[in-house]
Amino acid sequence: MIDLKSAVRVLRSGGLVAFPTETVYGLGADALNEKAVARIFEAKNRPTFDPLIVHVDRADNVRPLILSFPPLAERLANAFWPGPLTLILPKSSLVPDLVTSGLPSVAVRVPAHPLALGLLQAFDGPLAAPSANLFGQVSPTTAEHVRASLGNRVDLVLEGGPCAVGVESTVLSLLEETPVILRPGGVSLEDLQEICGKVRIPAPNEGAALSPGRLEQHYAPHTPLYLPSDLPSFSTGRRPRIGYLAFQNDPADGMYERVEVLSNGGDLAEAAAALFAALRRLDACGLDALVYEVAPEKGLGRAINDRLRRAAKK
Ligand code: TXA
Ligand code: MG
């Protein structure tokens, strides 16, 4: 039995509850309680310059958190909520500055997982929640991943099975005339274009000026990850043990110690859902290095490639 009552009690007393969403597991705290929010940063070792996403159970409950709900935001909310889209909008004074790292804008979304919605309804308030992993590490897509990463730094973990989408939400800024994708994610560029028309994808070097979370090195496994063309030579005196993270094609040439294939049929949604767990399994093998196959740069492939590029050694 999932104990939502205990979870709500923990949240009301300023504690941390990890909960499943359709994207990844979140580490939740009462978004309007600054002390509780501070515990999120502490538990994750997350720098306080990286702001959090505020989760609500329905679009109407975003209103008190923002200054206004522009028509484009309404259209996007109608099209994609509940779902893996985060909108950046000017914040109201209700949202503590720590949540937004002092920015005048706030990130909001309605998650699609029934347990996340159940928790938000039972708590009856907004929850600030980053991915439930230590800062910079691979995001958790199972409750087991959360426990392995955060252990007793989290008061309660709600078990909701593996996450269906598997990569984080798309972060879309509505602060400028043309919407800007700050992080590719579970809602694809193509889907957004259908609702917004024009959407801007910033150049990688626009970086932190747009969103503190646009760090180039992120989501990193412990084992160094490379594009095959970037793999350095090893002077270990023995043949290096290398793992291969394939999007679709098993290289099957005996060069790799271990191979993970994300989707034999080349299905982008299936590959995204499998990505972080496969990366963790490879990371647990104690290999010298990992290399990866790039996914097609379309649909969810953009989010997959973004995570792999940022997980890779430069
Ligand atoms: O799918 C998801 O979005 C998951 C689940 C738990 O909802 N959450 C998640 O949170 O990925 P986190 O903290 O790992 O990523 C939040 C991203 C960061 O890159 C952060 O910099 C950006 O959103 N962000 C938050 N508030 C922002 C703001 N006001 N302006 C620009 N970027 C913001
Ligand atoms: Mg994260």
Side-chain angles (χ1 to χ4, degrees):
M1 246 290 282
I2 302 285
D3 193 357
L4 285 182
K5 273 207 186 117
S6 305
V8 168
R9 216 174 302 127
V10 169
L11 292 169
R12 289 246 173 277
S13 63
L16 303 181
V17 174
F19 61 94
T21 80
E22 79 282 24
T23 58
V24 300
Y25 276 69
L27 180 63
D30 181 351
L32 305 183
N33 175 346
E34 196 142 28
K35 270 195 192 144
V37 172
R39 288 198 54 205
I40 293 180
F41 287 96
E42 194 178 48
K44 281 187 59 112
N45 294 333
R46 180 178 175 119
T48 49
F49 61 72
D50 196 5
L52 306 175
I53 296 173
V54 179
H55 298 68
V56 293
D57 61 346
R58 57 198 167 88
D60 254 352
N61 284 336
V62 160
R63 289 178 198 281
L65 308 172
I66 58 179
L67 291 183
S68 75
F69 212 145
L72 179 57
E74 299 241 19
R75 293 214 305 279
L76 288 162
N78 282 334
F80 301 114
W81 284 352
L85 178 66
T86 293
L87 298 178
I88 309 287
L89 290 160
K91 87 180 212 31
S92 76
S93 59
L94 191 63
V95 182
D97 286 328
L98 185 57
V99 171
T100 65
S101 302
L103 293 173
S105 59
V106 62
V108 288
R109 90 172 185 103
V110 179
H113 197 290
L115 201 46
L117 291 173
L119 179 66
L120 286 163
Q121 276 153 19
F123 178 64
D124 196 23
L127 292 177
S131 51
N133 54 281
L134 293 177
F135 181 71
Q137 292 186 354
V138 179
S139 294
T141 53
T142 66
E144 199 42 55
H145 294 164
V146 177
R147 284 186 217 103
S149 185
L150 294 178
N152 56 16
R153 289 165 174 245
V154 49
D155 298 306
L156 186 72
V157 181
L158 293 180
E159 169 70 66
C163 301
V165 175
V167 289
E168 296 88 341
S169 61
T170 302
V171 179
L172 187 71
S173 169
L174 298 182
L175 301 179
E176 297 170 29
E177 178 86 9
T178 303
V180 184
I181 295 188
L182 299 181
R183 177 177 74 181
V187 170
S188 71
L189 169 68
E190 292 84 347
D191 289 343
L192 288 174
Q193 283 168 331
E194 270 186 37
I195 305 294
C196 306
K198 221 169 125 199
V199 179
R200 196 166 76 81
I201 302 178
N205 60 10
E206 276 184 74
L210 283 168
S211 176
R214 289 173 53 77
L215 296 172
E216 268 308 298
Q217 189 77 42
H218 206 37
Y219 307 99
H222 300 285
T223 319
L225 174 75
Y226 301 95
L227 273 172
S229 56
D230 292 344
L231 189 67
S233 50
F234 290 86
S235 48
T236 48
R238 56 173 171 78
R239 200 175 72 112
R241 300 170 66 236
I242 299 170
Y244 191 79
L245 182 65
F247 165 65
Q248 177 176 17
N249 303 299
D250 187 337
D253 64 358
M255 156 152 184
Y256 299 105
E257 198 73 24
R258 171 112 188 230
V259 175
E260 290 276 350
V261 179
L262 294 178
S263 171
N264 286 305
D267 182 85
L268 291 164
E270 182 181 41
L275 177 65
F276 289 144
L279 200 50
R280 279 169 186 265
R281 281 194 299 274
L282 284 172
D283 200 18
C285 294
L287 303 174
D288 295 308
L290 307 175
V291 295
Y292 70 94
E293 178 190 8
V294 177
E297 187 69 10
K298 60 174 188 205
L300 283 181
R302 286 198 185 82
I304 295 173
N305 290 337
D306 169 80
R307 303 308 185 270
L308 287 170
R309 187 174 50 76
R310 292 204 275 156
K313 268 245 181 307
K314 303 298 177 310

